[in-house]
Amino acid sequence: MGGETALVLGGGGLTGVGWESGMLYGLARAGVDLTTADLVVGTSAGSVVGAQLRSGLLTPQELYERQLGDAAGEIAAKLGTGVIARYALAMARSRTDATAYRRRVGAMALAADTGPEAERRKVLAARLVSHEWPERRLVVTAVDALSGELEAFDRESGGGLVDAVAASCAVPGVWPPVTVGGRRFIDGGIRSATNADLAAGYARVVIIAPISLGSGLVPSPAAQAAKLRAAGAKVLLITPSAAARKAFGRNVLDPARRDPAARAGLAQAAEHAAEAAAVWAA
């Protein structure tokens, strides 16, 4: 499905939620309102931000302000070296087969002891101001833990919004896979940090990507942006500045880092306002 404008919000943990919220508010304050997008694609952290924006119940300023101060209800976690090593082993064993890589990571996630799915779902439900799919198009990405295939949830796909967002945020080896329609799903970022290829066919695309790198079988945001440009789209890719990366700290899943990440996103937005306006203008 094509259209005029698409906003792609990538994954990146709690610091990604904060930084994206600050970036969106900063751009709106500079006169570039990305909430007018015909399509919003959200992956992991981006699914949380996208669902909030599409709810129509929060302005960019209010979304930003929700990231500040105490992160009540959030659970601290860490993507440890052991989990990262298992990702690397799955990639090495999969060689050139990206789907096989995702299946291996899915099997690891299904076997991991990561706590009750219901408890994790409560955390995601508390993040959202609305539990209903919005009228304006929102796509939330996840990966089927058994098949390794991408699932692009939307209001027509049959699953609830909370379940879709929880699935998109189910970091393998950290959080439990999420059940939707009898299937188990893991974080959409296992396929791509942004899944920006879902914006194919849109004329103007802004990609906000807390994670700027790819690795082997996982394409980078820059590679996906280049393909969109090659197809004729005007594309702006925004990734964290050095100051923003410092604000994230060493653990993107630390609730205490969400506030400084949001402030860093707001500060960085001024650097991108002019180019964002040039892409977003009709």
Side-chain angles (χ1 to χ4, degrees), residues 154-174:
D154 62 17
R155 64 180 291 117
E156 307 299 330
S157 60
L161 178 61
V162 174
D163 291 326
V165 171
S168 191
C169 294
V171 181
V174 177

Side-chain angles (χ1 to χ4, degrees), residues 14-15 18 67-72 74-77 247-249 251-263:
L14 286 170
T15 58
Q67 315 311 314
L68 307 181
D70 180 36
E74 295 290 350
I75 302 171
F248 293 174
N251 180 13
V252 300
L253 300 178
D254 181 358
R257 305 308 303 173
R258 193 177 67 181
D259 180 318
R263 297 178 191 275

Side-chain angles (χ1 to χ4, degrees), residues 183-247:
R183 298 160 63 195
R184 307 295 300 284
F185 292 94
I186 58 175
D187 196 308
I190 294 302
R191 178 182 182 267
S192 159
T194 59
N195 293 293
D197 56 315
L198 296 181
Y202 285 77
R204 291 169 278 135
V205 183
V206 172
I207 305 168
I208 303 179
I211 296 174
S212 61
L213 300 177
S215 56
L217 301 176
V218 181
S220 69
Q224 291 193 322
K227 287 187 176 181
L228 293 173
R229 290 190 190 99
K234 293 176 66 176
V235 181
L236 171 62
L237 171 62
I238 301 175
T239 59
S241 64
R245 292 194 300 272
K246 184 177 180 180

Side-chain angles (χ1 to χ4, degrees), residues 94 97-110 142-153 177-178 180 182-187 190-191:
S94 303
D97 189 335
T99 305
Y101 163 67
R102 296 192 293 270
R103 285 198 301 267
R104 286 188 166 94
V105 174
M108 179 270 285
L110 291 167
V143 168
D144 187 304
L146 291 179
S147 71
E149 296 295 336
L150 172 71
E151 183 71 22
F153 290 106
V178 171
V180 185
R183 298 160 63 195
R184 307 295 300 284
F185 292 94
I186 58 175
D187 196 308
I190 294 302
R191 178 182 182 267

